[in-house]
């Protein structure tokens, strides 16, 4: 007999029938359902917008509760597991489960990147911690792209450069925690100076696509995000694939020491946008996805406003927001993020130009690469080729920070040496500091000694020394700096930013970071770990993570007197 038909027994809470009073499984909170439905409004309920919608919740409620996660999953017709794993992957989402303490009213993020460490971030953290109360939480975060004005702190979304404890306290007290925008050349000013004429001529068929592509080809322009692959070859590869095709602008510069994309987007954003539109037209991309790192909140507001000014009949540019994951600077991880997933690098093949975003052939270019397109076409490829030095060609934007008088983005001839860069563009070393070492390519590019400061800084010139130029993030170190502390900082960064997909990187960076905290390093074990990470990691993060360590061992043996080897 069915137990629910027995009048002497109560109905089972998880069974059906006329006596059922509690459904199976986790039930949605009707209040949370209503809040999420109102927050999303008329926006489409598609998987690729998951990260964007998580940002909406985070921005509105300062955290993402379990009830909101479940309601969002229902709205998007996804499993709660899928939504949870994405929300917890990205550092800028605060997921609070049942029983967790609520997130404080205000978050202060203190950059612990290498430039900020050199500028006194640890001392600043101590001062801030002593002044804080329960309403404010202080987080140590990876590089936020303000290396030229270190130390840097973000109060809410308000960036404080050359920060002091008193300045941060004043901003916290004032409540002025919104991002501020910088746009030195807006749409009207850009158009008045001849902007978008090249694109419009190409769009109208007045300029031949092959002429533009040929100019880029002859110039020898390479991808300036770090890989250095010839731009025209990438364009042709995508163009030769069957449509429909898509394009991505990679503005997720997270390499410690790198801030050139921010510089160009703050100063002349439409030059980059025109370059993107030209590239999209040449390869036949129907849409452009512009992926901007979340740390650049002011730039996001600027781009949102400026993109709205573009004519409606031009290829559409969709602005997408990162969420605090360095790995998403890697092309395939970036694609996963835009699709609303965790930023895990893909196995290759296929390559993104074959099957990239949403499975379509995809062109991905860096901000600086696109920035130079208009100049190369209008001034001619020979102009670009004659800009180099020491046998190299073109221009490079060097992000210079550390022990120099005048840090910042230095647009200089490709192939310039560090000595030349310091003397001609940076005002020399800071007072009382002498060059001891430098990072030629950010955290992953390795460390070189002062005696190699005469090497040309360009693609292919540093590999024989165990380094590479990458995105040209130059961090200058002096006799006042503990190089082992520098290497510790960089390995900690990689351990913190590893996506965790592959064991060599996930465990190798963590174990190396732990070993490097010891006074005497176990060099044999560190070398073994480095070999495994280099040979077996899926992507460039794990493969390049040992570079600073290996360079330190190679070029600075005096640091390891008494170490186990």
């Amino acid at each position: 007999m069915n137990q629910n038909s027995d009048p002497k027994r109560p109905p089972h809470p998880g069974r059906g029938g006329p006596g059922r009073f509690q459904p199976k499984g986790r039930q949605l909170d009707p209040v949370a359902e209503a809040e999420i439905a109102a927050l999303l409004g008329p926006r489409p309920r598609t998987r690729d917008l998951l990260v964007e919608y998580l940002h909406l919740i985070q921005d509105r409620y300062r955290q993402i509760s379990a009830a909101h996660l479940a309601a969002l999953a229902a709205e998007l017709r996804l499993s709660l597991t899928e939504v949870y794993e994405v929300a917890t992957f990205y550092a800028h989402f605060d997921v609070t489960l049942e029983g967790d303490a609520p997130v404080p009213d205000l978050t202060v993020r203190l950059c612990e990147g290498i430039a900020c460490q050199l500028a006194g971030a640890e001392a600043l953290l101590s001062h801030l911690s002593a002044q804080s109360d329960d309403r404010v939480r202080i987080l140590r975060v990876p590089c936020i792209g303000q290396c030229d004005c270190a130390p840097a702190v973000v109060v809410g979304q308000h960036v404080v450069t050359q920060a002091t404890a008193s300045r941060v306290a004043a901003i916290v007290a004032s409540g002025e925690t919104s991002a501020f925008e910088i746009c030195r050349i807006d749409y009207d000013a850009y158009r008045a100076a001849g902007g978008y004429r090249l694109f419009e001529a190409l769009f109208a068929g007045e300029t031949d696509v092959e002429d533009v592509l040929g100019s880029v080809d002859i110039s020898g322009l390479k991808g300036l995000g770090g890989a250095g692959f010839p731009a025209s070859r990438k364009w042709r590869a995508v163009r030769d694939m069957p449509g429909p095709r898509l394009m991505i602008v990679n503005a997720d510069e997270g390499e410690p020491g790198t801030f050139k994309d921010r510089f160009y987007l703050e100063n002349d954003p439409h030059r980059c946008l025109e370059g993107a539109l030209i590239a999209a037209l040449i390869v036949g991309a129907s849409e452009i996805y512009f992926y901007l790192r979340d740390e650049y909140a002011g730039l996001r507001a600027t781009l949102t406003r400026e993109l709205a000014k573009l004519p409606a009949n031009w290829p559409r540019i969709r602005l997408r927001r990162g969420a605090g994951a360095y790995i998403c600077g890697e092309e395939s991880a970036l694609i996963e993020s835009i699709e609303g997933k965790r930023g895990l690098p893909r196995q290759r093949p296929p390559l993104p130009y074959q099957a990239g975003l949403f499975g379509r052939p995809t062109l991905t270019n860096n901000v600086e690469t696109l920035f130079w397109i208009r100049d190369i076409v209008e001034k001619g490829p020979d102009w670009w080729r004659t800009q180099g030095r020491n046998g190299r060609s073109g221009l490079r934007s060097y992000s210079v920070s550390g022990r120099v008088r005048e840090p910042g983005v230095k647009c200089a001839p490709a192939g310039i040496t560090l000595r030349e860069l310091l003397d001609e563009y940076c005002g020399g070393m800071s007072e009382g500091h002498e060059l001891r070492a430098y990072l030629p390519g950010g955290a992953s590019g390795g460390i070189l000694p002062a005696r190699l400061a005469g090497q040309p800084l360009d693609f292919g010139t540093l590999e024989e020394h165990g380094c590479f130029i990458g995105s040209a993030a130059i961090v200058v170190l002096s006799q006042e700096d503990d190089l082992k502390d520098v290497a510790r900082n960089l390995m900690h960064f990689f351990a913190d930013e590893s996506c965790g997909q592959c064991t060599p990187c996930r465990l190798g960076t963590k174990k190396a970071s732990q070993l490097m905290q010891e006074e005497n390093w176990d060099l044999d074990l560190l070398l073994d770990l480095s070999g495994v990470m280099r040979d077996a990691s899926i992507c460039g993060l794990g493969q390049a993570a040992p570079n600073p360590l290996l360079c330190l061992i190679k070029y600075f043996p005096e640091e390891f007197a008494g170490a186990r080897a």
Side-chain angles (χ1 to χ4, degrees):
M1 181 176 67
N2 187 323
Q3 67 171 5
N4 287 336
S5 66
D6 186 348
K8 297 180 180 179
R9 300 183 66 179
H12 191 287
R15 302 279 176 85
R20 179 176 178 176
F21 63 91
Q22 179 177 328
K24 291 182 178 181
R26 178 189 291 271
Q27 301 307 300
L28 295 176
D29 181 335
V31 174
E33 281 188 282
E35 289 173 340
I36 294 301
L39 195 60
L40 269 55
R43 297 177 177 88
R45 270 56 169 174
T46 55
R47 169 62 188 264
D48 63 292
L49 292 171
L50 174 57
V51 174
E52 297 295 311
Y53 294 161
L54 289 169
H55 274 302
L56 290 178
I57 302 171
Q58 178 74 38
D59 291 346
R60 173 65 178 84
Y61 298 100
R62 300 192 310 276
Q63 57 196 322
I64 304 174
S65 68
H68 282 149
L69 281 178
L72 180 61
E75 283 283 338
L76 299 182
R77 298 185 179 275
L78 297 172
S79 70
L80 180 56
T81 300
E82 289 178 282
V83 176
Y84 176 80
E85 72 175 6
V86 172
T88 54
F89 179 85
Y90 296 96
H92 288 189
F93 297 139
D94 294 305
V95 177
T96 54
L97 303 181
E98 296 170 6
D100 289 348
V103 174
D105 295 340
L106 183 62
T107 297
V108 174
R109 290 181 164 87
L110 181 139
C111 178
E112 62 176 2
I114 185 59
C116 287
Q117 175 180 292
L118 297 177
E122 289 297 329
L124 178 58
L125 176 63
S126 297
H127 291 304
L128 293 176
S129 299
Q131 296 175 3
S132 66
D133 56 39
D134 293 341
R135 298 169 302 146
V136 178
R137 66 169 177 170
I138 301 173
L139 301 179
R140 302 167 63 115
V141 298
C143 182
I144 61 174
Q146 304 288 338
C147 315
D148 52 333
C149 39
V153 172
V154 184
V155 181
Q157 291 189 334
H158 185 120
V159 177
V160 187
T161 55
Q162 297 179 326
T164 63
S166 59
R167 288 185 62 207
V168 172
I171 293 171
V172 170
S174 72
E176 297 293 332
T177 59
S178 299
F180 54 89
E181 301 179 40
I182 300 175
C183 183
R184 295 185 173 89
I185 302 177
D186 65 6
Y187 178 78
D188 291 334
Y190 186 72
R191 291 301 304 250
Y196 289 116
R197 289 180 186 171
L198 174 59
F199 168 72
E200 288 180 320
L202 195 65
F203 192 54
E206 298 167 4
T207 297
D208 188 79
V209 166
E210 282 297 334
D211 290 342
V212 175
L213 190 53
S215 292
V216 176
D217 198 2
I218 294 170
S219 73
L221 176 68
K222 296 181 179 179
L224 299 174
F229 191 82
S232 63
R233 284 178 56 190
K234 182 183 284 191
W235 290 9
R236 290 186 188 278
V238 175
R239 191 167 180 239
D240 289 342
M241 297 298 295
R245 309 174 195 91
L246 296 172
M247 180 179 176
I248 296 172
V249 179
N250 185 349
D252 192 54
E253 57 175 2
E255 183 77 15
T258 305
F259 46 92
K260 62 185 178 67
D261 292 353
R262 170 179 63 81
F263 172 83
Y264 283 119
L265 291 174
E266 288 177 346
N267 283 279
D268 198 356
H270 287 279
R271 191 172 294 267
C272 170
L273 296 177
E274 183 172 13
L277 288 165
I278 290 169
L281 204 58
I282 287 175
V283 304
S286 57
E287 290 184 304
I288 301 169
Y289 286 77
F290 195 112
Y291 191 93
L292 180 71
R293 71 179 308 204
D294 196 36
E295 287 81 356
Y296 294 163
L299 266 179
R300 185 170 65 253
T302 295
L303 288 171
T304 299
R305 183 187 67 243
E306 295 300 311
L307 285 171
K309 299 175 182 178
L310 301 183
N313 64 325
W314 290 5
R316 184 173 181 181
I317 301 179
R318 299 177 182 268
L319 183 61
R320 289 296 178 88
R321 182 177 174 184
Y326 165 73
I327 191 62
C328 289
E330 194 274 338
E331 184 179 15
S332 64
L334 183 154
I335 289 171
E336 291 285 295
S337 185
I338 293 176
E339 292 181 353
K341 305 171 186 174
R342 294 177 294 167
L344 302 180
R346 294 177 176 179
Q347 297 279 4
R348 306 185 189 198
L351 295 170
Y353 84 89
Q354 299 167 314
L357 185 60
F358 308 126
R360 300 178 183 178
T362 303
L363 171 67
T364 304
N365 278 140
N366 167 261
V367 167
E368 189 193 356
T369 308
L370 298 168
F371 183 88
W372 292 115
I373 299 301
R374 179 185 162 194
D375 280 335
I376 288 173
V377 177
E378 291 182 347
K379 297 180 181 180
D382 290 339
W383 164 80
W384 178 262
R385 293 179 63 85
T386 58
Q387 297 300 310
R389 189 179 294 187
N390 297 315
R392 316 302 294 181
S393 64
L395 295 169
R396 290 300 304 266
S397 301
Y398 299 94
S399 303
V400 184
S401 62
R403 308 301 190 181
V404 297
R405 290 181 186 271
E406 301 169 12
V409 173
K410 312 297 178 180
C411 183
I416 195 171
T417 69
L418 179 69
R419 289 288 186 190
E420 293 168 337
L421 189 65
L422 290 174
D423 293 342
E424 299 175 32
Y425 291 85
C426 302
M429 297 288 293
S430 298
E431 185 70 27
H433 291 268
E434 298 177 2
L435 179 65
R436 185 186 181 197
Y438 65 104
L439 279 62
S444 57
I447 304 175
L448 290 176
R451 63 182 175 83
L452 293 178
Q455 292 297 310
L457 296 171
D458 197 16
F459 296 117
T461 62
L462 303 174
E463 282 76 1
E464 64 178 299
H465 303 291
C467 294
F468 56 81
I469 189 69
S471 58
I474 312 294
V475 183
V476 179
L477 308 170
S478 78
Q479 81 282 2
E480 299 295 326
D481 299 317
D482 184 330
L483 298 187
K484 292 177 78 173
D485 274 347
V486 171
R488 289 187 187 99
N489 177 287
L490 302 177
M491 189 60 75
H492 169 74
F493 168 79
F494 288 120
D496 188 56
E497 291 293 335
S498 173
C499 73
Q501 180 178 193
C502 68
T503 302
C505 177
R506 181 182 67 250
L507 298 184
T509 53
K510 181 179 179 181
K511 182 63 175 178
S513 183
Q514 292 172 344
L515 290 170
M516 292 165 70
Q517 300 305 314
E518 299 178 5
E519 182 177 352
N520 292 319
W521 294 4
D522 188 335
L523 298 185
D524 280 344
L525 184 51
L526 284 169
L527 289 171
D528 284 346
L529 279 170
S530 297
V532 172
M533 284 190 280
R534 278 188 156 186
D535 294 341
S537 294
I538 290 175
C539 79
L541 190 154
Q543 295 163 9
N547 286 346
L549 166 65
L550 295 174
C551 286
L552 194 64
I553 295 171
K554 178 179 180 180
Y555 293 116
F556 302 94
E558 67 275 11
E559 294 286 333
F560 303 99
R564 295 191 297 275

